[in-house]
Amino acid sequence: MIMKNKIFSAITVIGYCLLAIGCSDSFLEEKKNYGNFDNTTVYSDYNGANERVASLYYWLLPTSSSGDGNGTNSPNDWTSVGNADRWAKSTEEYGGFSIFVNPEEEITYNASVANFDYFYVANDTYSPWGHIRNCNDVIEGVSASSLSQEQKNELLGQAYFFRAYVYAHLVRIYGGVPIVDQVQDPVLGKDGDGSKLIVPRKSAKECMDFICQDLDRAVSMLPARWENEATNFGRVTSGLAQALKGRMLLYYASPVFNRADEAARWDSAYVANKKAIELLTAGRFGLTYPTDGGEKNAANWARTWTDYTGSDGNVSEAVLVTLHNTKDNVSGQPDYGKYNRWEHAIRPHNTNGGGGLTPTSEMVDLFPMADGKRPSQSSILYDKTKFWLNRDPRFYRTFAFPGEEWQFSQGSVDLTDPSLQGIIYPGLTNGANYQLWSYMYNDNGDDLIKNTTSNGYWPDLVAGSADKVGSHSVYLRKRTDDLHLHNMPFYVYINSSSNPKGFMKCAAPLITVRYTEVLLQFAEAAAGANHLDEALAALQQIRARVGYTAEQNYGLPNNLSDRASLIAAILYERQIELAYEGKRYEDMHRWMLFDGGQGQASLKASWALTGFGGNTCQWLGVTPLNGQKRHNIVLYCKTPSTTDPAAAARPAALTIDEPMTRNSATGDYANEKVQALAEWYDTYLERKDVNADGNDDALTILYRPKYYFLGLRQNAMQTNPTLLQTVGWHDLGRNTDGTFDPLAD
C-alpha cells in the first residue's frame, strides 16, 4: 500500500501534546518548535524526541466525544467511550439504528453511508496509516539517535505501544491489513523502483503476531509505574501494554477469529492476561475501594471516576487515561483548553446540561436484582414501574430516575440570574438541592400518550426551554461528578447559553481502560482455557467489591461449572460493570452475538462455526440481537391534566444513599423515604416503553454476516489496485467477489 508522505508536525503545537500526558505547567515553558528541524536534529535531543512521542498521545488517545466517525473530524474518533455513537447504538445500550444494524440500508464498497471507512481515510491528518508512519518515524529516529539506551527504551516503548494500538483497531475491524514497519519514502528512486511501497494485506494471524511483537517490546522497555507522577501520570506502562496484548489474544481466541474453538489460542490469551495482572499489580494498579465499594449503593464504586487512586491514594484503577483541563484557549495555542464533555452530555436540560443520554429499557431491565441475579432468574419480584427497587448497587450509580437528587456545584453562578430564565427551572437556587422529576403528563383524555412522547408535558423544564417536547424518564448517570460524592468538582460551571456552557468546561480524566476490565479479560481467558477456579475467583473479586458476599455466593448462579456457563456469566458481568464505557460492541462482535455466527458459511464454507456448538448464542444461552428492537422508558401520570397532577404530592427526593429495598415476604420498605417515593409512583405513574428504533414497529435490528469483517471502500481499491477485497464484499478492480480471507493462515 502506498503510505502517506506527510510526517505530521503536531508537535509544533506543544500545548496539544502535554495536555494529553502531563499536569505540570512548567513543561510548557520555553519549548522549541521542533517541527521546524529535520529528524536528525529532533531525535538527537531528548526533549525534542520526547515531544515527538507526546504528539502520539494527542493524536491517538481517545477523546470524550469519540466513537462516531473514522478519524476525519478529530483525533481518534473511532474509539467508543460510552456515548450514543454508532458502535453503542449497535448494542442494547442505546436505541436508534446505526449504520451497522440498519435493516433498510446495506453497506457496500461504494455506499453513500458516511464515514464507515476506517482503513483508507483520505484526510492525511487522521489516516491510520499517517499515525503508523508517525510511530515508525519515532522508532527509526530514536533507534538511530545518540540518546542513551535508557532514554531510547523509554521513548521506543511508548512508540511501539501506539503502533500496536493503531493496528489493534484495524485488525479488529478488517481482520487483516498491510503491515508497514518502516517509514516509506514516496519519492520514486529514493526507495528503489517503488515496489516497497506496495504492501499487500496480511492475514489476521500475521497481524496478531506483529501486534504482539510490538507489545512485547513495549513491555520490556516501559516501567510498571512511572516515577515523578506529577509530570508523567497518563503515560503508558508495561502493564497496559501487556493488557492490550491480552485483549488482542482474547479477541483471537473468541469465535469471530477462532471458529473451531482452538484450545491453544485460549491458552495464549490466559498466559498473556495473567501476566498483565501481575505487571499491573507490580505497578500498584488494582481495584479502588476493594472492600467497601458496595457501601451505600456502590458509592465508593462510583468514586472510581473521580478518586481513581482509591481511599489511600496508593492503588490506581486508571490504566489508560486521557487527561483534560479547564484552561481557556490562548493566542497561538488553539485547543490549549481541553475539556471532557461527558459531564455536560449526561446532565438534564434544566441544569443547563446537554439534555442527557437515554439508556434503553432493555438495559434498565437487564441489570441484576439486589441478590445479584438477573430479574428473570431472581427470587425477588421485579416491579417494572418501580424498576429502581431491589437492584444491584451499581444500578443506582449507572442510571438516574424520577425522585432522586443529582447534586452539582454551581460555583459562583447565581441560578436565579435572569439570563438563565427558561433554562434553570424556577425554584432551583442551589445545585446541591437539584432533584430529577422526569415524568410526563398530558392534557387530554385519549390514549395517545401511551403510544407517543410528543404530546405530553414535562415538569421543571426537564425537556428544555419548551416543556412540551419529547424526552425520557431514565437518564444515564454513569461516571458523573456528583457533588454528593465528590466535593471538589472537575468542572467549572458556566451560566452561558452558548459554547462553552453548563458543565462543558470539565477536567475530569477519561478512563478508557480500568483495572477491572483487565481482571474481567483474565477471567474470560482463564475460563476459556479451562482454568475455571481462577476465572470464578476473579469474578467473585469484582462482585465482592460492590458488596456481594461469599454467604450469598457473590450473587452468582450456582452452576458455573463449565466453560459455557462461566463465560456467559463473565460476559454478563462485563455488560453490567462496564456498561456505557464503550466496551459492549466489541464483546458482541467477537462473540458474534448479533446472530450466533449463523450465515458465515454462506460467505465462505470454511468460515462456518465448528466450535461453540455451531451457534455462540445458543452455547452461551443468550438471545441474538438480530430481530430485536430497543425502547426508551417513559413514566407518565395516569390522570390527564393541563397542569402537573403529581407535583404537589412529590415526596422528599432520595439521595440514593438509602437502601432501596422492599422485603418481598413482608412488604416492608427499607425506610420511610423509600416507601414514600414508591407509594407516589403507585399513585401517580404508569410506565410505557416507547420504540427507540424508529416509528415502524416492523423494523428490527439487522447486523449482516459480512459486517464481522468490514470490506475496503472504493477509495482504497482505486488508490492501490493490488489490495484484495474481503470475502463477502465486491472487489471493484476485479469486478468479482472479494477473495481476501482474514482467517486464512
Side-chain angles (χ1 to χ4, degrees), residues 525-557:
N530 270 309
H531 299 279
L532 304 186
D533 290 345
E534 292 180 68
L536 184 58
L539 189 56
Q540 291 171 342
Q541 186 179 351
I542 291 167
R543 283 269 172 135
R545 197 258 287 264
V546 294
Y548 294 105
T549 64
E551 289 72 25
Q552 59 183 152
N553 193 33
Y554 302 98
L556 296 168

Side-chain angles (χ1 to χ4, degrees), residues 289-615:
Y289 308 98
T291 59
D292 61 354
E295 182 186 7
K296 295 183 178 178
N297 291 326
N300 280 338
W301 177 82
R303 289 188 174 96
T304 295
W305 289 274
T306 53
D307 302 327
Y308 41 81
T309 55
S311 54
D312 60 4
N314 186 51
V315 175
S316 175
E317 178 133 359
V319 177
L320 179 60
V321 185
T322 305
L323 298 183
H324 298 85
N325 64 33
T326 56
K327 297 180 182 292
D328 293 318
N329 291 331
V330 296
S331 177
Q333 290 187 334
D335 288 350
Y336 183 74
K338 185 174 181 181
Y339 310 149
N340 186 337
R341 300 300 179 92
W342 176 262
E343 188 71 32
H344 185 76
I346 64 174
R347 289 282 184 167
H349 279 298
N350 62 5
T351 64
N352 204 15
L357 295 174
T358 310
T360 63
S361 64
E362 284 73 19
M363 280 297 292
V364 171
D365 293 340
L366 180 74
F367 262 64
M369 302 301 290
D371 61 1
K373 305 295 195 300
R374 295 172 183 258
S376 61
Q377 300 170 349
S378 174
S379 60
I380 301 173
L381 182 64
Y382 183 35
D383 186 322
K384 291 199 69 171
T385 299
K386 300 189 294 293
F387 51 81
W388 47 271
L389 275 175
N390 296 314
R391 304 305 296 270
D392 179 286
R394 292 165 292 186
F395 177 93
Y396 303 105
R397 308 297 172 173
T398 303
F399 307 110
F401 51 87
E404 67 172 2
E405 292 182 358
W406 193 351
Q407 299 181 1
F408 68 93
S409 171
Q410 79 265 28
S412 61
V413 173
D414 178 6
L415 297 182
T416 64
D417 187 325
S419 68
L420 292 173
Q421 185 176 359
I423 299 175
I424 300 296
Y425 68 88
L428 180 64
T429 60
N430 190 330
N433 298 328
Y434 176 78
Q435 301 176 6
L436 179 67
W437 295 99
S438 46
Y439 58 90
M440 187 174 71
Y441 60 97
N442 76 326
D443 56 2
N444 55 58
D446 61 31
D447 204 40
L448 286 175
I449 196 166
K450 298 185 179 182
N451 299 293
T452 181
T453 61
S454 63
N455 67 322
Y457 295 89
W458 295 82
D460 301 345
L461 299 178
V462 73
S465 58
D467 60 359
K468 193 175 182 182
V469 179
S471 191
H472 48 282
S473 292
V474 184
Y475 285 69
L476 188 59
R477 188 180 181 128
K478 182 82 174 276
R479 306 189 336 241
T480 187
D481 193 351
D482 190 339
L483 183 64
H484 184 66
L485 299 178
H486 184 227
N487 61 11
M488 297 181 66
F490 286 114
Y491 55 82
V492 176
Y493 188 75
I494 301 174
N495 65 336
S496 170
S497 59
S498 60
N499 189 358
K501 65 179 181 178
F503 304 87
M504 284 183 177
K505 198 174 180 181
C506 181
L510 173 63
I511 304 172
T512 46
V513 177
R514 291 196 284 134
Y515 178 85
T516 311
E517 179 187 355
V518 183
L519 190 56
L520 283 165
Q521 283 179 199
F522 167 71
E524 185 181 339
N530 270 309
H531 299 279
L532 304 186
D533 290 345
E534 292 180 68
L536 184 58
L539 189 56
Q540 291 171 342
Q541 186 179 351
I542 291 167
R543 283 269 172 135
R545 197 258 287 264
V546 294
Y548 294 105
T549 64
E551 289 72 25
Q552 59 183 152
N553 193 33
Y554 302 98
L556 296 168
N558 294 319
N559 60 343
L560 302 182
S561 57
D562 61 90
R563 290 174 72 226
S565 61
L566 189 49
I567 290 175
I570 292 166
L571 290 174
Y572 177 60
E573 196 69 16
R574 287 182 62 88
Q575 201 172 2
I576 303 307
E577 173 73 26
L578 305 177
Y580 300 99
E581 295 183 46
K583 309 299 179 181
R584 181 58 179 168
Y585 176 83
E586 287 187 6
D587 287 351
M588 296 195 69
H589 175 256
R590 62 192 179 86
W591 276 96
M592 310 182 87
L593 299 182
F594 297 97
D595 57 9
Q598 305 307 292
Q600 293 298 296
S602 66
L603 299 174
K604 188 169 184 177
S606 61
W607 283 17
L609 269 72
T610 56
F612 311 102
N615 186 316

Side-chain angles (χ1 to χ4, degrees), residues 87-340:
W87 309 106
K89 287 165 71 174
S90 299
T91 74
E92 307 95 336
E93 292 189 336
Y94 293 104
F97 290 128
S98 77
I99 61 173
F100 298 121
V101 297
N102 188 346
E104 295 189 293
E105 185 168 10
E106 179 178 356
I107 301 174
T108 65
Y109 74 93
N110 63 348
S112 61
V113 176
N115 294 338
F116 92 88
D117 173 27
Y118 303 90
F119 181 87
Y120 178 69
V121 189
N123 187 316
D124 285 344
T125 307
Y126 303 112
S127 167
W129 304 105
H131 298 320
I132 290 168
R133 181 186 172 90
N134 274 339
C135 293
N136 287 337
D137 184 74
V138 172
I139 291 167
E140 292 183 8
V142 170
S143 297
S145 74
S146 58
L147 299 175
S148 70
Q149 193 59 50
E150 181 180 3
Q151 291 173 327
K152 286 183 178 181
N153 287 349
E154 174 188 299
L155 299 169
L156 288 171
Q158 295 170 84
Y160 280 124
F161 170 83
F162 278 114
R163 187 168 72 177
Y165 185 70
V166 179
Y167 268 107
H169 285 291
L170 288 170
V171 171
R172 283 194 295 257
I173 294 170
Y174 292 98
V177 296
I179 294 176
V180 182
D181 60 358
Q182 59 184 318
V183 177
Q184 295 181 320
D185 194 328
V187 180
L188 296 181
K190 290 188 176 183
D191 194 12
D193 60 0
S195 60
K196 292 182 180 180
L197 300 177
I198 308 301
V199 183
R201 294 180 72 177
K202 300 294 185 180
S203 69
K205 182 181 186 306
E206 291 172 303
C207 291
M208 289 289 185
D209 289 345
F210 179 72
I211 291 169
C212 289
Q213 182 183 59
D214 268 4
L215 292 171
D216 285 341
R217 289 168 174 160
V219 168
S220 70
M221 295 174 175
L222 292 171
R225 195 175 184 112
W226 287 79
E227 296 179 358
N228 192 5
E229 287 196 328
T231 55
N232 287 319
F233 179 74
R235 288 188 187 268
V236 299
T237 64
S238 59
L240 172 60
Q242 186 65 35
L244 179 57
K245 178 180 178 180
R247 179 65 174 165
M248 291 309 294
L249 288 176
L250 182 60
Y251 230 106
Y252 197 52
S254 301
V256 70
F257 284 110
N258 187 16
R259 305 297 170 88
D261 194 13
E262 296 175 16
R265 298 193 188 186
W266 287 105
D267 291 338
S268 296
Y270 164 73
V271 171
N273 281 289
K274 187 169 187 176
K275 184 177 179 181
I277 295 296
E278 293 169 353
L279 286 174
L280 289 172
T281 302
R284 303 197 315 278
F285 292 91
L287 299 178
T288 55
Y289 308 98
T291 59
D292 61 354
E295 182 186 7
K296 295 183 178 178
N297 291 326
N300 280 338
W301 177 82
R303 289 188 174 96
T304 295
W305 289 274
T306 53
D307 302 327
Y308 41 81
T309 55
S311 54
D312 60 4
N314 186 51
V315 175
S316 175
E317 178 133 359
V319 177
L320 179 60
V321 185
T322 305
L323 298 183
H324 298 85
N325 64 33
T326 56
K327 297 180 182 292
D328 293 318
N329 291 331
V330 296
S331 177
Q333 290 187 334
D335 288 350
Y336 183 74
K338 185 174 181 181
Y339 310 149
N340 186 337

